[in-house]
Amino acid sequence: MIKYPDGREYSPNKTKQKLTKFEISISSSNRGMSFEEDINISNEYYSTHGVALITKRPTPINVVHVDYTNGPHITDAYFEQQSTTDYNGIYREKYIDFEAKSTKSKTSFPLANISHHQIEHLKEVVKYGGIGFFIINFEKYDETYILSAEQLISFMQLNKRKSIPYQYFKEKAMSVTHGYYPRLYYLEAVDELFF
Amino acid sequence: MIKYPDGREYSPNKTKQKLTKFEISISSSNRGMSFEEDINISNEYYSTHGVALITKRPTPINVVHVDYTNGPHITDAYFEQQSTTDYNGIYREKYIDFEAKSTKSKTSFPLANISHHQIEHLKEVVKYGGIGFFIINFEKYDETYILSAEQLISFMQLNKRKSIPYQYFKEKAMSVTHGYYPRLYYLEAVDELFF
Protein backbone atom coordinates (compact mmCIF):
# COMPACT_ATOMS: atom_id res chain seq x y z
CA MET A 1 0.00 0.00 0.00
CA ILE A 2 1.27 3.45 -0.90
CA LYS A 3 0.50 6.34 1.39
CA TYR A 4 0.49 10.12 1.07
CA PRO A 5 2.62 12.13 3.52
CA ASP A 6 -0.51 12.66 5.67
CA GLY A 7 -1.13 8.92 5.91
CA ARG A 8 -4.06 8.65 3.49
CA GLU A 9 -3.93 5.75 1.10
CA TYR A 10 -2.76 6.59 -2.42
CA SER A 11 -4.76 5.14 -5.27
CA PRO A 12 -4.06 5.70 -8.96
CA ASN A 13 -6.47 8.02 -10.72
CA LYS A 14 -9.49 5.97 -11.77
CA THR A 15 -11.85 8.84 -12.53
CA LYS A 16 -12.09 8.43 -16.29
CA GLN A 17 -11.45 4.71 -16.35
CA LYS A 18 -14.59 2.65 -16.84
CA LEU A 19 -15.18 0.30 -13.93
CA THR A 20 -16.45 -3.19 -14.63
CA LYS A 21 -19.61 -4.41 -12.91
CA PHE A 22 -17.38 -6.69 -10.87
CA GLU A 23 -15.24 -3.78 -9.67
CA ILE A 24 -18.34 -1.76 -8.79
CA SER A 25 -19.86 -4.59 -6.80
CA ILE A 26 -16.56 -5.20 -5.00
CA SER A 27 -16.14 -1.55 -4.16
CA SER A 28 -19.68 -0.89 -3.02
CA SER A 29 -19.66 -3.79 -0.66
CA ASN A 30 -16.25 -2.99 0.71
CA ARG A 31 -16.68 -0.57 3.57
CA GLY A 32 -12.91 -0.30 3.98
CA MET A 33 -12.69 1.34 0.56
CA SER A 34 -11.49 4.91 0.57
CA PHE A 35 -13.80 7.88 0.57
CA GLU A 36 -11.92 9.18 -2.47
CA GLU A 37 -12.80 6.04 -4.42
CA ASP A 38 -16.47 6.46 -3.44
CA ILE A 39 -16.44 9.98 -4.88
CA ASN A 40 -14.67 8.82 -8.05
CA ILE A 41 -17.34 6.17 -8.58
CA SER A 42 -20.10 8.74 -7.99
CA ASN A 43 -18.47 11.00 -10.58
CA GLU A 44 -18.29 8.12 -13.04
CA TYR A 45 -21.99 7.46 -12.38
CA TYR A 46 -22.96 11.11 -12.84
CA SER A 47 -20.96 11.32 -16.08
CA THR A 48 -22.43 8.10 -17.50
CA HIS A 49 -25.93 9.37 -16.73
CA GLY A 50 -25.32 12.80 -18.28
CA VAL A 51 -25.71 14.62 -14.96
CA ALA A 52 -22.33 16.31 -14.50
CA LEU A 53 -18.72 16.29 -15.60
CA ILE A 54 -16.47 16.28 -12.54
CA THR A 55 -12.87 15.12 -12.54
CA LYS A 56 -10.25 14.54 -9.90
CA ARG A 57 -7.06 16.54 -10.19
CA PRO A 58 -4.10 14.17 -10.26
CA THR A 59 -1.81 14.21 -7.21
CA PRO A 60 0.96 16.71 -7.91
CA ILE A 61 4.36 15.06 -7.92
CA ASN A 62 7.71 16.78 -8.24
CA VAL A 63 9.81 14.65 -10.58
CA VAL A 64 13.54 14.85 -9.85
CA HIS A 65 14.96 12.13 -12.05
CA VAL A 66 13.78 10.08 -15.02
CA ASP A 67 15.69 7.14 -16.41
CA TYR A 68 15.21 6.85 -20.20
CA THR A 69 17.10 3.55 -20.65
CA ASN A 70 13.92 1.52 -21.26
CA GLY A 71 11.36 4.25 -21.91
CA PRO A 72 10.70 6.99 -19.35
CA HIS A 73 10.88 5.60 -15.82
CA ILE A 74 10.70 7.95 -12.82
CA THR A 75 13.25 6.90 -10.22
CA ASP A 76 13.32 9.94 -7.95
CA ALA A 77 10.28 12.07 -7.08
CA TYR A 78 8.31 13.56 -4.20
CA PHE A 79 4.65 14.18 -3.44
CA GLU A 80 3.76 17.87 -3.47
CA GLN A 81 0.95 19.52 -1.59
CA GLN A 82 -2.14 20.08 -3.75
CA SER A 83 -2.35 23.88 -3.95
CA THR A 84 -5.96 23.85 -5.04
CA THR A 85 -8.61 21.19 -4.30
CA ASP A 86 -9.19 17.56 -5.26
CA TYR A 87 -12.14 17.94 -7.64
CA ASN A 88 -13.66 20.37 -10.09
CA GLY A 89 -16.01 20.37 -13.03
CA ILE A 90 -19.32 21.51 -14.41
CA TYR A 91 -22.82 20.87 -13.06
CA ARG A 92 -26.06 22.57 -14.13
CA GLU A 93 -23.93 24.94 -16.23
CA LYS A 94 -22.08 26.08 -13.11
CA TYR A 95 -18.40 25.66 -12.27
CA ILE A 96 -18.08 23.50 -9.17
CA ASP A 97 -14.96 22.91 -7.10
CA PHE A 98 -14.53 20.98 -3.87
CA GLU A 99 -12.23 19.29 -1.45
CA ALA A 100 -12.93 15.85 0.04
CA LYS A 101 -11.78 14.87 3.51
CA SER A 102 -12.54 12.07 5.87
CA THR A 103 -11.92 11.81 9.58
CA LYS A 104 -11.73 8.94 12.04
CA SER A 105 -12.81 11.26 14.87
CA LYS A 106 -16.23 10.72 16.45
CA THR A 107 -16.45 14.16 17.97
CA SER A 108 -15.16 16.74 15.50
CA PHE A 109 -13.50 17.46 12.16
CA PRO A 110 -9.94 18.80 12.71
CA LEU A 111 -9.32 21.98 10.70
CA ALA A 112 -5.65 21.03 10.38
CA ASN A 113 -6.88 18.71 7.60
CA ILE A 114 -7.52 21.73 5.39
CA SER A 115 -4.69 23.82 4.05
CA HIS A 116 -4.64 27.60 3.84
CA HIS A 117 -4.14 27.26 0.05
CA GLN A 118 -7.36 25.29 -0.27
CA ILE A 119 -9.40 27.85 1.64
CA GLU A 120 -7.93 30.68 -0.45
CA HIS A 121 -8.68 28.73 -3.63
CA LEU A 122 -12.31 28.14 -2.64
CA LYS A 123 -12.72 31.81 -1.68
CA GLU A 124 -11.66 32.65 -5.24
CA VAL A 125 -14.09 30.10 -6.69
CA VAL A 126 -16.97 31.79 -4.82
CA LYS A 127 -15.75 35.25 -5.87
CA TYR A 128 -15.88 34.23 -9.56
CA GLY A 129 -19.44 32.91 -9.21
CA GLY A 130 -18.63 29.22 -8.86
CA ILE A 131 -19.87 26.72 -6.30
CA GLY A 132 -17.24 25.80 -3.71
CA PHE A 133 -17.56 23.36 -0.84
CA PHE A 134 -16.06 20.66 1.35
CA ILE A 135 -17.41 17.12 1.40
CA ILE A 136 -16.57 15.58 4.75
CA ASN A 137 -16.89 11.98 5.83
CA PHE A 138 -17.12 10.76 9.43
CA GLU A 139 -15.81 7.24 9.03
CA LYS A 140 -17.00 5.96 12.39
CA TYR A 141 -20.59 6.94 11.69
CA ASP A 142 -20.45 6.25 7.95
CA GLU A 143 -21.94 9.72 7.44
CA THR A 144 -21.07 12.33 4.85
CA TYR A 145 -21.80 16.06 4.90
CA ILE A 146 -21.41 18.99 2.56
CA LEU A 147 -20.26 22.26 4.05
CA SER A 148 -20.20 25.26 1.72
CA ALA A 149 -16.95 27.22 1.47
CA GLU A 150 -18.82 30.21 2.94
CA GLN A 151 -19.95 28.14 5.95
CA LEU A 152 -16.43 26.93 6.69
CA ILE A 153 -14.89 30.38 6.29
CA SER A 154 -17.52 31.95 8.51
CA PHE A 155 -17.03 29.21 11.14
CA MET A 156 -13.30 29.92 11.19
CA GLN A 157 -13.89 33.67 11.53
CA LEU A 158 -16.38 33.31 14.38
CA ASN A 159 -14.62 30.56 16.30
CA LYS A 160 -11.13 30.05 17.61
CA ARG A 161 -11.61 26.28 17.68
CA LYS A 162 -9.18 24.02 15.86
CA SER A 163 -11.97 21.66 14.87
CA ILE A 164 -15.62 21.74 13.85
CA PRO A 165 -17.80 19.73 16.26
CA TYR A 166 -19.66 16.75 14.86
CA GLN A 167 -22.84 18.31 16.24
CA TYR A 168 -22.30 21.35 14.00
CA PHE A 169 -22.45 19.07 10.94
CA LYS A 170 -25.63 17.40 12.24
CA GLU A 171 -27.28 20.80 12.64
CA LYS A 172 -25.85 23.04 9.93
CA ALA A 173 -24.31 21.01 7.10
CA MET A 174 -26.17 19.22 4.31
CA SER A 175 -26.28 15.47 4.76
CA VAL A 176 -25.34 13.29 1.76
CA THR A 177 -27.51 10.23 1.10
CA HIS A 178 -25.54 6.99 0.91
CA GLY A 179 -26.61 4.32 -1.55
CA TYR A 180 -25.44 1.13 -3.17
CA TYR A 181 -24.30 2.51 -6.53
CA PRO A 182 -23.23 5.19 -6.41
CA ARG A 183 -22.34 5.16 -2.72
CA LEU A 184 -22.70 8.94 -2.49
CA TYR A 185 -25.54 10.96 -3.99
CA TYR A 186 -23.65 14.12 -3.26
CA LEU A 187 -24.98 16.26 -6.13
CA GLU A 188 -28.49 15.90 -4.67
CA ALA A 189 -27.12 17.59 -1.54
CA VAL A 190 -25.48 20.25 -3.76
CA ASP A 191 -28.91 20.88 -5.32
CA GLU A 192 -30.45 21.53 -1.93
CA LEU A 193 -27.64 23.74 -0.73
CA PHE A 194 -26.89 25.82 -3.83
CA PHE A 195 -29.81 25.76 -6.27
CA MET B 1 15.95 18.29 -18.40
CA ILE B 2 13.04 15.92 -17.81
CA LYS B 3 10.84 14.98 -20.73
CA TYR B 4 7.37 13.51 -21.16
CA PRO B 5 7.03 10.32 -23.21
CA ASP B 6 6.06 12.48 -26.22
CA GLY B 7 9.25 14.52 -25.94
CA ARG B 8 7.79 17.71 -24.43
CA GLU B 9 9.76 19.24 -21.61
CA TYR B 10 8.42 18.52 -18.11
CA SER B 11 8.23 21.44 -15.74
CA PRO B 12 6.96 21.29 -12.16
CA ASN B 13 3.55 22.84 -11.62
CA LYS B 14 3.99 26.57 -11.07
CA THR B 15 0.40 27.68 -11.59
CA LYS B 16 -0.41 28.74 -8.06
CA GLN B 17 3.12 29.64 -7.09
CA LYS B 18 3.74 33.36 -7.10
CA LEU B 19 6.45 34.30 -9.56
CA THR B 20 8.95 36.95 -8.58
CA LYS B 21 9.43 39.97 -10.85
CA PHE B 22 12.81 38.55 -11.71
CA GLU B 23 11.31 35.24 -12.83
CA ILE B 24 8.67 37.03 -14.88
CA SER B 25 11.23 39.18 -16.62
CA ILE B 26 13.47 36.18 -17.30
CA SER B 27 10.60 34.15 -18.67
CA SER B 28 9.10 36.87 -20.82
CA SER B 29 12.37 37.61 -22.47
CA ASN B 30 13.24 33.98 -22.98
CA ARG B 31 11.76 32.89 -26.29
CA GLY B 32 12.91 29.32 -25.68
CA MET B 33 10.57 29.10 -22.72
CA SER B 34 7.82 26.55 -23.05
CA PHE B 35 4.35 27.41 -24.28
CA GLU B 36 2.99 25.76 -21.13
CA GLU B 37 4.94 28.19 -18.96
CA ASP B 38 3.56 31.11 -21.01
CA ILE B 39 0.02 29.93 -20.29
CA ASN B 40 0.77 29.42 -16.61
CA ILE B 41 2.07 32.98 -16.37
CA SER B 42 -1.02 34.30 -18.19
CA ASN B 43 -3.22 32.41 -15.71
CA GLU B 44 -1.27 33.89 -12.81
CA TYR B 45 -1.77 37.34 -14.35
CA TYR B 46 -5.52 36.80 -14.88
CA SER B 47 -5.92 35.53 -11.31
CA THR B 48 -3.95 38.42 -9.78
CA HIS B 49 -6.09 40.89 -11.74
CA GLY B 50 -9.38 39.25 -10.75
CA VAL B 51 -10.19 38.22 -14.33
CA ALA B 52 -10.41 34.43 -14.12
CA LEU B 53 -9.43 31.42 -12.05
CA ILE B 54 -7.78 28.85 -14.29
CA THR B 55 -5.49 26.09 -13.06
CA LYS B 56 -3.32 23.48 -14.67
CA ARG B 57 -4.08 19.88 -13.88
CA PRO B 58 -0.95 18.20 -12.53
CA THR B 59 0.67 15.55 -14.75
CA PRO B 60 -0.81 12.19 -13.77
CA ILE B 61 1.84 9.82 -12.46
CA ASN B 62 1.35 6.17 -11.53
CA VAL B 63 3.32 5.60 -8.34
CA VAL B 64 4.62 2.04 -8.01
CA HIS B 65 6.92 2.28 -5.01
CA VAL B 66 7.49 4.74 -2.18
CA ASP B 67 10.40 4.49 0.23
CA TYR B 68 9.42 5.76 3.72
CA THR B 69 12.88 5.50 5.31
CA ASN B 70 13.43 9.29 5.33
CA GLY B 71 9.92 10.60 4.71
CA PRO B 72 7.96 9.58 1.60
CA HIS B 73 10.28 9.30 -1.41
CA ILE B 74 8.97 7.95 -4.73
CA THR B 75 11.55 5.59 -6.24
CA ASP B 76 9.49 3.87 -8.92
CA ALA B 77 6.78 5.56 -11.00
CA TYR B 78 5.58 6.17 -14.56
CA PHE B 79 3.99 9.05 -16.43
CA GLU B 80 0.37 8.37 -17.37
CA GLN B 81 -1.51 9.89 -20.26
CA GLN B 82 -3.70 12.82 -19.22
CA SER B 83 -7.22 11.49 -19.81
CA THR B 84 -8.75 14.95 -19.79
CA THR B 85 -7.09 18.25 -20.73
CA ASP B 86 -4.33 20.45 -19.32
CA TYR B 87 -6.36 23.37 -17.99
CA ASN B 88 -9.76 24.18 -16.56
CA GLY B 89 -11.41 26.86 -14.47
CA ILE B 90 -13.98 29.61 -14.32
CA TYR B 91 -14.24 32.74 -16.47
CA ARG B 92 -17.18 35.14 -16.69
CA GLU B 93 -19.15 32.66 -14.57
CA LYS B 94 -18.64 29.96 -17.20
CA TYR B 95 -16.75 26.69 -16.86
CA ILE B 96 -13.83 26.69 -19.29
CA ASP B 97 -11.63 23.76 -20.23
CA PHE B 98 -8.85 23.56 -22.78
CA GLU B 99 -5.84 21.73 -24.08
CA ALA B 100 -2.59 23.49 -25.03
CA LYS B 101 -0.34 22.22 -27.79
CA SER B 102 2.58 23.59 -29.69
CA THR B 103 4.09 22.45 -32.96
CA LYS B 104 7.42 22.99 -34.67
CA SER B 105 5.78 22.49 -38.06
CA LYS B 106 5.52 25.46 -40.44
CA THR B 107 2.79 23.97 -42.58
CA SER B 108 0.24 22.23 -40.37
CA PHE B 109 -0.77 21.07 -36.90
CA PRO B 110 -0.58 17.24 -36.66
CA LEU B 111 -3.77 15.77 -35.20
CA ALA B 112 -1.74 12.94 -33.68
CA ASN B 113 -0.87 15.50 -30.98
CA ILE B 114 -4.42 15.25 -29.64
CA SER B 115 -5.69 12.11 -27.95
CA HIS B 116 -9.10 10.56 -28.47
CA HIS B 117 -9.72 10.98 -24.70
CA GLN B 118 -9.16 14.71 -24.94
CA ILE B 119 -11.62 15.14 -27.80
CA GLU B 120 -14.23 13.06 -25.96
CA HIS B 121 -13.66 15.12 -22.81
CA LEU B 122 -14.11 18.43 -24.66
CA LYS B 123 -17.27 17.11 -26.37
CA GLU B 124 -18.65 16.49 -22.88
CA VAL B 125 -17.63 19.99 -21.74
CA VAL B 126 -19.61 21.51 -24.61
CA LYS B 127 -22.58 19.20 -23.94
CA TYR B 128 -22.76 20.43 -20.32
CA GLY B 129 -22.71 24.08 -21.42
CA GLY B 130 -19.05 24.80 -20.80
CA ILE B 131 -16.50 26.44 -23.09
CA GLY B 132 -14.05 23.98 -24.62
CA PHE B 133 -11.15 24.74 -26.94
CA PHE B 134 -7.61 24.08 -28.06
CA ILE B 135 -4.90 26.72 -27.83
CA ILE B 136 -2.28 25.97 -30.43
CA ASN B 137 1.13 27.52 -30.87
CA PHE B 138 3.15 27.56 -34.08
CA GLU B 139 6.65 27.89 -32.68
CA LYS B 140 8.34 28.85 -35.94
CA TYR B 141 6.01 31.79 -36.49
CA ASP B 142 5.62 32.64 -32.80
CA GLU B 143 1.87 32.67 -33.41
CA THR B 144 -0.92 31.30 -31.21
CA TYR B 145 -4.49 30.42 -32.15
CA ILE B 146 -7.64 29.32 -30.40
CA LEU B 147 -9.74 26.68 -32.10
CA SER B 148 -13.06 25.83 -30.46
CA ALA B 149 -13.73 22.18 -29.67
CA GLU B 150 -16.64 22.35 -32.15
CA GLN B 151 -14.32 23.64 -34.91
CA LEU B 152 -11.80 20.86 -34.38
CA ILE B 153 -14.45 18.13 -34.21
CA SER B 154 -16.14 19.43 -37.34
CA PHE B 155 -12.78 19.62 -39.16
CA MET B 156 -12.10 15.99 -38.28
CA GLN B 157 -15.54 14.92 -39.48
CA LEU B 158 -15.29 16.76 -42.79
CA ASN B 159 -11.67 15.94 -43.59
CA LYS B 160 -9.63 12.79 -43.72
CA ARG B 161 -6.42 14.74 -43.23
CA LYS B 162 -4.08 13.84 -40.40
CA SER B 163 -3.22 17.48 -39.79
CA ILE B 164 -4.85 20.89 -39.90
CA PRO B 165 -3.13 23.22 -42.41
CA TYR B 166 -1.52 26.37 -41.04
CA GLN B 167 -3.64 28.30 -43.55
CA TYR B 168 -6.81 27.01 -41.86
CA PHE B 169 -5.67 28.64 -38.61
CA LYS B 170 -4.92 31.92 -40.41
CA GLU B 171 -8.43 31.93 -41.90
CA LYS B 172 -10.71 30.25 -39.38
CA ALA B 173 -9.14 30.23 -35.90
CA MET B 174 -8.99 33.14 -33.43
CA SER B 175 -5.56 34.69 -33.19
CA VAL B 176 -4.13 35.31 -29.69
CA THR B 177 -2.34 38.62 -29.11
CA HIS B 178 1.19 38.22 -27.76
CA GLY B 179 2.48 40.72 -25.24
CA TYR B 180 5.28 41.28 -22.79
CA TYR B 181 3.50 40.31 -19.57
CA PRO B 182 1.49 38.25 -19.88
CA ARG B 183 2.88 36.79 -23.09
CA LEU B 184 -0.54 35.52 -24.14
CA TYR B 185 -3.76 37.52 -23.91
CA TYR B 186 -5.72 34.40 -24.65
CA LEU B 187 -8.91 35.26 -22.73
CA GLU B 188 -9.39 38.26 -25.02
CA ALA B 189 -9.54 35.75 -27.90
CA VAL B 190 -11.97 33.62 -25.86
CA ASP B 191 -14.17 36.73 -25.49
CA GLU B 192 -14.33 37.19 -29.23
CA LEU B 193 -14.98 33.56 -29.97
CA PHE B 194 -17.46 32.62 -27.24
CA PHE B 195 -19.12 35.71 -25.74
Side-chain angles (χ1 to χ4, degrees):
Chain A
M1 188 181 71
I2 293 171
K3 287 179 298 177
Y4 288 115
D6 64 5
R8 282 177 304 136
E9 188 177 338
Y10 166 87
S11 56
N13 200 17
K14 276 212 170 182
T15 317
K16 293 297 287 183
Q17 204 175 306
K18 295 280 175 211
L19 297 171
T20 63
K21 276 188 186 171
F22 177 67
E23 282 181 291
I24 289 162
S25 109
I26 292 275
S27 30
S28 304
S29 63
N30 176 7
R31 290 301 164 112
M33 186 192 153
S34 79
F35 182 50
E36 185 178 301
E37 280 285 293
D38 279 344
I39 295 173
N40 294 346
I41 289 171
S42 294
N43 289 342
E44 177 74 29
Y45 172 89
Y46 288 130
S47 164
T48 307
H49 290 75
V51 175
L53 182 65
I54 296 157
T55 57
K56 182 178 183 301
R57 291 187 172 98
T59 308
I61 288 173
N62 184 12
V63 176
V64 180
H65 184 73
V66 179
D67 177 0
Y68 293 96
T69 320
N70 297 306
H73 176 206
I74 300 162
T75 56
D76 185 3
Y78 294 90
F79 289 111
E80 283 188 337
Q81 202 182 26
Q82 186 74 272
S83 62
T84 59
T85 51
D86 287 339
Y87 296 91
N88 72 352
I90 182 168
Y91 175 53
R92 293 177 70 169
E93 306 213 351
K94 285 273 200 178
Y95 173 81
I96 85 167
D97 194 305
F98 61 97
E99 179 66 18
K101 292 288 180 200
S102 76
T103 179
K104 290 188 197 304
S105 166
K106 282 184 172 178
T107 54
S108 65
F109 173 75
L111 288 168
N113 279 355
I114 296 172
S115 80
H116 176 69
H117 275 311
Q118 290 173 332
I119 291 167
E120 288 306 307
H121 176 77
L122 286 173
K123 268 188 195 169
E124 292 282 289
V125 166
V126 173
K127 189 182 92 181
Y128 285 104
I131 290 173
F133 60 89
F134 294 88
I135 179 165
I136 292 167
N137 176 250
F138 282 88
E139 286 181 26
K140 302 294 185 199
Y141 300 114
D142 195 23
E143 287 175 3
T144 305
Y145 295 93
I146 286 184
L147 202 61
S148 72
E150 291 97 325
Q151 278 180 294
L152 187 107
I153 292 160
S154 140
F155 181 92
M156 290 174 84
Q157 279 165 347
L158 299 172
N159 295 272
K160 289 193 171 171
R161 294 181 56 104
K162 286 183 175 164
S163 65
I164 306 178
Y166 169 65
Q167 203 54 36
Y168 179 93
F169 287 90
K170 294 285 275 185
E171 288 165 13
K172 305 272 179 74
M174 187 61 64
S175 170
V176 173
T177 306
H178 284 198
Y180 179 70
Y181 171 67
R183 281 267 295 142
L184 301 168
Y185 290 93
Y186 77 86
L187 287 180
E188 285 70 358
V190 167
D191 282 342
E192 295 224 25
L193 202 55
F194 298 100
F195 287 93
Chain B
M1 187 179 73
I2 293 171
K3 288 179 297 179
Y4 288 116
D6 64 4
R8 281 176 305 136
E9 189 178 336
Y10 167 88
S11 56
N13 199 19
K14 276 212 170 181
T15 317
K16 291 297 289 182
Q17 205 176 305
K18 294 281 173 206
L19 296 171
T20 62
K21 275 187 186 172
F22 178 67
E23 281 181 290
I24 289 161
S25 106
I26 292 274
S27 29
S28 305
S29 63
N30 175 8
R31 290 301 164 112
M33 184 192 155
S34 80
F35 182 50
E36 185 179 301
E37 279 287 291
D38 279 344
I39 295 173
N40 294 346
I41 290 170
S42 293
N43 289 343
E44 177 74 28
Y45 172 90
Y46 288 131
S47 165
T48 307
H49 290 75
V51 176
L53 181 66
I54 296 157
T55 57
K56 184 177 181 302
R57 291 187 173 98
T59 308
I61 289 173
N62 184 10
V63 176
V64 180
H65 184 74
V66 180
D67 178 359
Y68 292 96
T69 321
N70 297 306
H73 176 207
I74 300 161
T75 55
D76 186 3
Y78 294 89
F79 289 110
E80 284 188 335
Q81 201 181 27
Q82 187 74 271
S83 61
T84 59
T85 51
D86 286 339
Y87 297 91
N88 73 352
I90 182 167
Y91 175 53
R92 293 177 70 169
E93 307 213 349
K94 286 272 200 179
Y95 173 82
I96 86 167
D97 194 305
F98 60 97
E99 178 66 17
K101 293 287 181 201
S102 76
T103 179
K104 290 188 197 303
S105 166
K106 281 184 172 180
T107 54
S108 65
F109 173 75
L111 288 169
N113 279 355
I114 295 171
S115 79
H116 175 69
H117 275 312
Q118 290 172 331
I119 292 167
E120 289 305 308
H121 176 77
L122 287 173
K123 269 189 194 168
E124 292 281 290
V125 167
V126 173
K127 189 182 92 182
Y128 286 104
I131 290 173
F133 59 89
F134 294 87
I135 179 164
I136 291 166
N137 176 250
F138 282 88
E139 287 181 23
K140 302 294 183 197
Y141 300 114
D142 194 24
E143 287 174 4
T144 305
Y145 296 92
I146 286 183
L147 201 62
S148 71
E150 291 96 324
Q151 277 180 296
L152 186 107
I153 291 159
S154 139
F155 181 92
M156 290 174 86
Q157 279 166 348
L158 298 172
N159 294 272
K160 289 192 173 171
R161 294 180 57 104
K162 287 185 175 160
S163 64
I164 306 179
Y166 170 66
Q167 204 54 37
Y168 179 93
F169 287 90
K170 295 285 275 185
E171 289 165 11
K172 305 270 179 72
M174 188 61 66
S175 168
V176 173
T177 305
H178 285 197
Y180 178 72
Y181 171 65
R183 282 267 296 142
L184 301 169
Y185 290 94
Y186 77 88
L187 287 180
E188 286 70 359
V190 167
D191 283 343
E192 294 224 24
L193 203 55
F194 298 99
F195 287 95

